[in-house]
Amino acid sequence: QVQLVESGGDLVQPGGSLRLSCLASGFTLGYYAIGWFRQAPGKEREGVAFISASDSSTYYADSVKGRFTISRDNAKNMVFLQMTSLEPEDTAVYYCAADPRYYSGSYFLYYGMEYSGKGTLVTVSS
């Protein structure tokens, strides 16, 4: 049974940094592409970061490019999202997602991924 559990969400001031973690279980993480998605109140879910299974290549939404970094540690079954220069517009519930198929980062961030966690809340406010 695929399980993804996010952690690390918090209240942070504008300009601050935060690192989200995602613990994967029930499957071999190294065979799955991973994405981070977010959903702000009253808005649709948005894909923000992707990392491939094959070569750990990454892809980012324009809204976070240069500020967010996705990484994975397959040996520890962990995925991370390092967020810097946070803005109030980054306030959202952040979800970790996984998918065993081979599609591009842009595809997955647009269409979504097969498995998703329950999310962790990030609030950016002074």
Side-chain angles (χ1 to χ4, degrees):
Q1 179 182 354
V2 172
Q3 283 195 317
L4 299 161
V5 179
E6 304 90 341
S7 62
D10 204 346
L11 171 63
V12 61
Q13 291 189 342
S17 298
L18 202 61
R19 188 175 86 151
L20 305 183
S21 300
C22 175
L23 176 62
S25 62
F27 65 104
T28 303
L29 182 62
Y31 295 143
Y32 282 65
I34 299 295
W36 282 95
F37 295 76
R38 68 185 181 185
Q39 188 164 19
K43 294 189 176 181
E44 293 187 354
R45 188 174 291 199
E46 173 192 19
V48 297
F50 162 87
I51 186 166
S52 71
S54 57
D55 60 1
S56 292
S57 58
T58 57
Y59 181 86
Y60 298 93
D62 288 343
S63 57
V64 307
K65 198 173 296 182
R67 301 188 298 122
F68 289 13
T69 303
I70 187 172
S71 61
R72 63 193 298 159
D73 185 338
N74 293 335
K76 296 182 179 179
N77 291 326
M78 294 290 295
V79 182
F80 306 98
L81 184 68
Q82 179 68 48
M83 305 185 293
T84 63
S85 302
L86 284 162
E87 305 165 353
E89 293 73 24
D90 295 317
T91 295
V93 176
Y94 283 73
Y95 301 88
C96 173
D99 200 301
R101 297 173 296 170
Y102 287 90
Y103 289 114
S104 68
S106 59
Y107 177 95
F108 277 129
L109 294 190
Y110 184 82
Y111 288 106
M113 304 180 93
E114 186 168 353
Y115 303 101
S116 180
K118 295 183 178 180
T120 186
L121 177 62
V122 173
T123 303
V124 184
S125 175
S126 56

